[in-house]
Amino acid sequence: MRESPHGSQAGDDERFSRPGVPAQYNDSMRQPLVGLERDALVQILTRRGEPAYRARQLFSGIYSGLAGELEQISELPGRLRQGLGEEFTLGLPSIEREYRSADGTVRYLLRLADGQTIETVWMPESGRDTICISTQVGCPVECRFCFTGLLGLSRNLSAGEIVGQALEVGRANKLCGGLRRLNIVMMGMGEPLLNLPAVMQATRLLTDSEGMGLSPRRITISTSGITPKIAELGGEPHRPRLAVSLNATTQEARERLMPITKKYTLAGLLAACRAYPLRSWERLSFEYVLLSGVNDLDEDARRLARMLATLKGMVNLIAFNPGPGIDFQTPAEDRVLAFQKIVKRSVPCFIRKPRGRDIYAACGQLKRFA
């Protein structure tokens, strides 16, 4: 594990019903450019008397070239870079600490312009890389098995702060030029559907052909089941893939594990999934965290198989990733295999290999641990 000398900062505990607060910047600070779409950059540059193609160069330098500062965008003339630098900054988050796992995973603690911190995880693999990014500072949903849920919510992230994680981690790992084999999963800190406008703006930036150019197939967002927002997401023309964090097969059990189920019921969630307008190539993903003796019994597996049998979907099983402060236990490997065997008779079912568990980078572990 390698880290910088700086400490981490915990978020304040607030409820999920509180509207998100965008990033606050002091009046003396320059306006961030990361998060702005092409039309906004065109407006900025045409006001300065520049031709529209300069906006394309700026956009490409930020989102494809992965520039760390304006001076690095060499396509722009020096006088323009200097003039823009007086009024604007790229606004990328800064890497406060990094923690390296034995399996190659890296967990980054990133500091934002207002001093808040979030976590982002890079998972390199042969043939592809995956970056797990956050959409909120903390999380309001309070799932009982998730360390991020212990933090509560401080605020929503802006589109620039969401995209900025991918840009900064891409820069740190020299991914420029290899972006088209990159996967983005919005499965870090926060509930993406409670910050949907910023998430969709970030998605447009990630998929813009003149920027990072990612396919929507390579971007996934995970929800705890915010039913009305699932329908809203389904109406978006350029949307990521959807993963649903399920984790229980009865209303009562899911309420105990995920209190948000009291407001958005299991029956309502399944109805929203049945109504979701899947594209021809698409399946819904259902994430199921296995907790020893709680939701990993054969009868749970049989209920899960029946529940999802008529849906076009797949199941990812995740053995609980432990840590201090949460009392659940990880099921034995043979119990996970037995659960999978039952489910896959009716639904494609896979076991997700944990990445970065030794540095608290695995699913459900993000809590800005020192």
Side-chain angles (χ1 to χ4, degrees):
M1 178 177 75
R2 188 177 78 196
E3 58 182 81
S4 80
H6 302 291
S8 62
Q9 175 177 318
D12 298 326
D13 185 76
E14 299 187 43
R15 302 296 299 174
F16 69 84
S17 58
R18 182 176 184 268
V21 180
Q24 299 298 311
Y25 300 95
N26 295 329
D27 291 340
S28 61
M29 295 184 69
R30 295 167 293 166
Q31 179 184 349
L33 291 172
V34 170
L36 298 182
E37 297 182 69
R38 276 189 287 169
D39 288 348
L41 295 182
V42 168
Q43 291 178 21
I44 288 171
L45 290 178
T46 53
R47 283 200 302 266
R48 303 177 72 92
E50 299 290 340
Y53 73 84
R54 292 295 186 201
R56 293 195 297 273
Q57 291 175 329
L58 177 57
F59 186 90
S60 178
I62 294 172
Y63 297 108
S64 180
L66 304 185
E69 54 189 37
L70 279 166
E71 277 302 311
Q72 294 175 353
I73 305 177
S74 57
E75 295 82 358
L76 299 178
R79 56 154 184 88
L80 179 55
R81 280 178 277 159
Q82 181 178 352
L84 286 172
E86 293 171 359
E87 187 178 353
F88 299 95
T89 179
L90 290 188
L92 291 168
S94 61
I95 295 176
E96 183 86 356
R97 287 186 177 186
E98 60 181 68
Y99 305 83
R100 296 187 173 268
S101 169
D103 66 19
T105 299
V106 184
R107 174 169 65 94
Y108 292 96
L109 181 73
L110 300 179
R111 189 166 295 278
L112 306 174
D114 65 350
Q116 294 276 12
T117 56
I118 54 174
E119 289 188 322
T120 304
V121 179
W122 177 52
M123 293 168 280
E125 295 182 76
S126 177
R128 68 175 185 181
D129 295 296
T130 300
I131 303 178
C132 178
I133 62 179
S134 298
T135 55
Q136 295 179 308
V137 181
C139 184
V141 179
E142 299 181 337
C143 298
R144 302 305 189 206
F145 50 83
C146 178
F147 293 91
T148 311
L150 300 177
L151 296 174
L153 177 68
S154 291
R155 64 170 174 86
N156 283 338
L157 296 183
S158 68
E161 290 168 331
I162 295 171
V163 172
Q165 296 168 68
L167 297 178
E168 185 62 15
V169 172
R171 264 182 10 93
N173 293 284
K174 298 179 172 58
L175 300 186
C176 182
L179 294 175
R180 284 174 173 63
R181 68 187 188 96
L182 179 67
N183 292 331
I184 299 290
V185 292
M186 298 187 193
M187 297 181 178
M189 303 175 75
E191 165 53 68
L193 294 192
L194 291 177
N195 190 17
L196 190 54
V199 164
M200 292 312 305
Q201 183 173 338
T203 299
R204 292 192 296 273
L205 290 166
L206 291 166
T207 58
D208 191 296
S209 61
E210 295 191 23
M212 296 184 77
L214 300 182
S215 166
R217 299 184 187 211
R218 289 190 170 272
I219 305 174
T220 303
I221 66 174
S222 178
T223 180
S224 59
I226 313 299
T227 306
K229 293 294 182 178
I230 291 175
E232 187 176 335
L233 175 67
E236 292 285 347
H238 304 290
R239 63 181 185 272
R241 301 171 65 138
L242 178 63
V244 177
S245 186
L246 196 56
N247 309 314
T249 56
T250 68
Q251 173 70 18
E252 295 73 21
R254 197 166 192 270
E255 280 187 23
R256 289 194 296 271
L257 296 175
M258 305 175 71
I260 199 169
T261 306
K262 295 175 185 177
K263 181 173 183 179
Y264 302 115
T265 66
L266 179 57
L269 174 59
L270 293 172
C273 291
R274 284 190 291 270
Y276 192 75
L278 291 170
R279 291 156 286 195
S280 60
W281 48 267
E282 190 174 16
R283 286 180 177 269
L284 286 172
S285 294
F286 293 93
E287 315 297 305
Y288 195 97
V289 177
L290 289 164
L291 308 166
S292 182
V294 176
N295 65 352
D296 66 340
L297 305 179
D298 285 356
E299 60 193 78
D300 294 305
R302 287 190 286 269
R303 276 195 299 266
L304 181 62
R306 290 194 299 269
M307 181 184 298
L308 302 182
T310 60
L311 286 166
K312 186 182 178 183
M314 55 176 283
V315 176
N316 288 317
L317 299 178
I318 304 163
F320 172 67
N321 294 305
I326 292 183
D327 294 332
F328 293 112
Q329 301 298 315
T330 305
E333 183 179 359
D334 59 353
R335 177 85 299 261
V336 176
L337 292 170
F339 195 98
Q340 180 196 31
K341 184 177 180 179
I342 294 171
V343 174
K344 72 178 183 180
R345 294 170 188 162
S346 303
V347 185
C349 184
F350 306 92
I351 298 170
R352 187 186 293 174
K353 179 183 176 181
R355 294 292 304 269
R357 184 184 278 178
D358 56 327
I359 57 166
Y360 295 106
C363 180
Q365 287 188 317
L366 299 186
K367 198 197 168 186
R368 294 175 285 192
F369 285 108

